[in-house]
Amino acid sequence: MSQTIKQTVNAPQTTPSQNAPVAPTIAVRKSCNPDGIGLSHYVLMDRKAAK
Amino acid sequence: MNAVLAERAARGTLFQPVDIGHPLYAAVTDPQTAFWALVDKNKVHEANRDPDLLAAYSAKAGQFEQELHALRFGLKPSGVYLNPTERCNLNCTYCYLPDTQRSSGTHMSAEILHASLGKLRDYFRSVMPADRKPRAIFHGAEPLMNAPAVFEAIDAFADDFVFGLQTNGTLLDDKALDFLTSRNVSIGLSLDGPVAEITNATRRTWGGKSVHDKVLRAMEKLRGYGSWSVITTCTTENLPYLTRMIELFHAHEVPTCMLNTVRCTLSGARGVKPADGEMAKAFFAAMDRTYELYQQTGRKLMVANFANILIGILAPTARRLMCDISPCGGGRAFFALAADGSLYPCSEFIGLPRFNGGSLLLGGVEAALDSAAFKAVTTRDVDKFSPCGDCAIRHFCGSPCPAEAFEMNGGMDKIGAFCDFYKEQVNYALRLIADGKADDYLWDGWDEGTETVFALS
């Protein structure tokens, strides 16, 4: 079986409009001590359930 | 802003634009730190000149880079996948373990299993904080083919490990369920179809008998238990039925499922591999159905493999699944013990002798971690091979899985089996964030224990 694999993530095409309101920027990042050990054959998502 | 970031911004290469298919938003990422922002799609090409975004990001970029580097290269193992037998009572089309092992392989003796867990306990004590227990997951082939040894080990090492068990569910009789649930063992099942005809297409006994109803019975008995999940392996055989799988799981109050793409490590799996576009279409229809069911009932069914993509974007260090990161978790966050006592980076490699890292009891964990077999996996770095090295989302995806890349695509420096599907998952996840819906796809309290280190909204 063969597939065509795209080489890059698509860049957006823009259509500027001077009068349209600008959507506010959204960016969030959280951080913690890493302790994940799941893999595709098994995963326990909820940390509390492991204790 | 430091000089390197300023130069990249001036050249217009600090932030890479990504069309996420949203009516208002596009994404920009700095793939080197797994940073992302959603910006007005008509302003996306101005992001590299946005003073507020540049100032906010530059204040944190160093911290994000250190965090990502530590996650990718600084972990010590905290889990082990234990294969107490080579045998399985099923002959699934896509299994990653060779037929000969599953049909006529050997069990690990109770004595060897006991000695192995003792050695593993000592290893984990040497690398983990005293207030954390390592995880030990009994795993395929079918661990309950050797249930006496497994159960004895769980009781003998109850104070030393948090145990889990991934099973095909066919041997989970009342006695086994009572034993496992009374000891709070996390249980994973597998089911591929909403009806027997679909499950039978890929999961059946060596004699061709259906196991569908046995798994449904196990699911019914586990209803209400706190820690269980069901894996559906997505193939050409069940792709049109993923939405019905979601409805079945939700009706059975399954708390967590995975809709995994079939792992194409061995040739049998490649015969039922769906195309990326078809996989994405069916998968997102199923995800949309989970959202509808949540809205209708107030009860979430978490699709863990997608939830992990979301978490990998929102909180890279909080990810639970260690496949979607590069290097993957194999051989560094966890490793696998085969039934013959050999160590492998991950169970996915057990059918591939070149990835044998040596004997646990004779050589030990440290020797395996340092072996060429493990290093081949733990040094697979998406920054260093094409096309991943130029990809804006490479650290949300990780180009899984190295076993597939090696066996199916010809080397560790090749992409995984579902490149375009991963891109579409990231786009879908970013659209949910843009629409304020991400928490609806994650379990309540998923971010307990995390700290918000960046916020623009």
Side-chain angles (χ1 to χ4, degrees):
Chain A
M1 185 182 300
S2 65
Q3 296 182 48
T4 301
I5 301 296
K6 295 175 188 171
Q7 296 298 302
T8 59
V9 173
N10 292 338
Q13 303 297 312
T14 58
T15 52
S17 169
Q18 291 184 338
N19 297 323
V22 176
T25 298
I26 301 169
V28 178
R29 183 150 166 156
K30 296 172 184 278
S31 182
C32 63
N33 290 323
D35 65 354
I37 60 107
L39 55 97
S40 60
H41 306 298
Y42 172 89
V43 70
L44 181 61
M45 294 297 284
D46 187 347
R47 292 178 175 193
K48 287 182 291 188
K51 294 178 180 173
Chain B
M1 188 185 314
N2 73 45
V4 174
L5 289 183
E7 183 185 344
R8 291 175 61 206
R11 283 190 280 116
T13 59
L14 177 59
F15 297 129
Q16 294 189 24
V18 181
D19 184 354
I20 63 170
H22 191 275
L24 296 178
Y25 281 101
V28 293
T29 75
D30 180 359
Q32 295 183 20
T33 62
F35 173 78
W36 60 272
L38 296 169
V39 300
D40 188 305
K41 66 186 300 180
N42 292 317
K43 303 283 185 182
V44 64
H45 294 296
E46 299 170 22
N48 279 295
R49 301 190 301 273
D50 180 333
D52 294 336
L53 182 60
L54 288 171
Y57 177 55
S58 65
K60 292 287 186 176
Q63 177 185 333
F64 294 168
E65 187 170 10
Q66 289 176 11
E67 177 188 67
L68 189 64
H69 188 271
L71 181 65
R72 299 180 61 212
F73 302 106
L75 299 182
K76 291 287 188 181
S78 58
V80 58
Y81 287 81
L82 303 163
N83 290 253
T85 180
E86 293 178 329
R87 291 190 190 179
C88 187
N89 56 335
L90 304 192
N91 183 26
C92 302
T93 306
Y94 47 70
C95 189
Y96 58 94
L97 297 169
D99 293 6
T100 49
Q101 282 189 19
R102 289 182 287 112
S103 63
S104 54
T106 58
H107 291 337
M108 180 183 281
S109 72
E111 292 75 22
I112 295 292
L113 181 55
H114 192 99
S116 298
L117 279 165
K119 189 148 185 172
L120 290 165
R121 173 196 58 203
D122 295 344
Y123 167 74
F124 285 119
R125 280 180 180 169
S126 74
V127 296
M128 290 181 66
D131 62 347
R132 277 186 63 202
K133 285 184 187 178
R135 308 254 197 91
I137 295 95
F138 289 101
H139 202 246
E142 173 46 50
L144 292 181
M145 296 282 281
N146 194 10
V150 170
F151 292 173
E152 183 182 324
I154 288 172
D155 272 347
F157 291 90
D159 294 335
D160 303 307
F161 294 93
V162 176
F163 281 106
L165 180 137
Q166 181 68 36
T167 171
N168 62 36
T170 61
L171 303 175
L172 268 179
D173 56 20
D174 287 348
K175 186 178 174 183
L177 276 167
D178 288 346
F179 178 91
L180 294 166
T181 55
S182 66
R183 287 155 179 82
N184 200 31
V185 174
S186 175
I187 300 170
L189 304 177
S190 294
L191 187 71
D192 280 4
V195 294
E197 180 186 4
I198 306 305
T199 299
N200 299 349
T202 48
R203 300 184 64 81
R204 52 193 176 266
T205 69
W206 289 92
K209 291 184 179 175
S210 176
V211 298
H212 181 86
D213 290 343
K214 285 187 176 181
V215 181
L216 285 185
R217 278 197 293 274
M219 285 170 54
E220 196 53 42
K221 288 177 181 175
L222 283 166
R223 188 192 289 257
Y225 183 52
S227 181
W228 67 291
S229 60
V230 188
I231 293 174
T232 294
T233 299
C234 301
T235 68
T236 51
E237 303 300 309
N238 64 2
L239 216 53
Y241 304 94
L242 296 191
T243 299
R244 286 179 62 188
M245 292 302 299
I246 290 297
E247 291 166 351
L248 174 78
F249 290 156
H250 193 269
H252 279 77
E253 300 181 23
V254 175
T256 303
C257 71
M258 288 206 277
L259 303 180
N260 287 332
T261 52
V262 61
R263 281 273 180 253
C264 298
T265 303
L266 297 187
S267 59
R270 293 169 217 156
V272 291
K273 178 188 182 299
D276 285 44
E278 295 301 312
M279 178 70 208
K281 183 178 175 184
F283 185 85
F284 298 135
M287 294 306 307
D288 291 346
R289 188 66 180 131
T290 67
Y291 181 75
E292 290 172 0
L293 289 168
Y294 173 49
Q295 296 301 305
Q296 291 167 8
T297 68
R299 181 163 49 81
K300 293 177 182 174
L301 164 63
M302 193 168 48
V303 181
N305 50 310
F306 177 71
N308 204 74
I309 295 285
L310 258 177
I311 292 176
I313 294 169
L314 293 167
T317 48
R319 64 204 329 136
R320 319 305 305 140
L321 188 69
M322 294 300 283
C323 295
D324 310 335
I325 186 170
S326 165
C328 74
R332 59 186 200 93
F334 58 81
F335 50 83
L337 177 67
D340 69 357
S342 300
L343 293 166
Y344 288 82
C346 170
S347 291
E348 192 72 31
F349 288 98
I350 286 178
L352 309 174
R354 73 168 67 207
F355 295 100
N356 184 329
S359 164
L360 169 64
L361 295 179
L362 298 178
V365 175
E366 294 285 7
L369 298 180
D370 288 337
S371 67
F374 274 51
K375 292 291 186 188
V377 177
T378 58
T379 59
R380 181 175 183 264
D381 181 351
V382 288
D383 286 341
K384 296 181 177 174
F385 60 85
S386 178
C388 300
D390 296 322
C391 180
I393 61 155
R394 60 185 181 268
H395 294 306
F396 303 144
C397 153
S399 194
C401 144
E404 289 177 310
F406 191 84
E407 289 294 306
M408 174 182 166
N409 290 336
M412 286 296 178
D413 59 350
K414 305 297 182 186
I415 59 171
F418 287 94
C419 178
D420 280 352
F421 174 55
Y422 270 90
K423 292 173 184 171
E424 291 304 323
Q425 282 190 90
V426 171
N427 289 344
Y428 188 96
L430 289 167
R431 290 198 297 271
L432 292 180
I433 295 169
D435 291 337
K437 293 180 177 177
D439 280 350
D440 295 340
Y441 292 77
L442 299 169
W443 73 95
D444 295 339
W446 72 270
D447 56 352
E448 286 178 11
T450 68
E451 175 191 3
T452 299
V453 292
F454 194 91
L456 290 176
S457 60

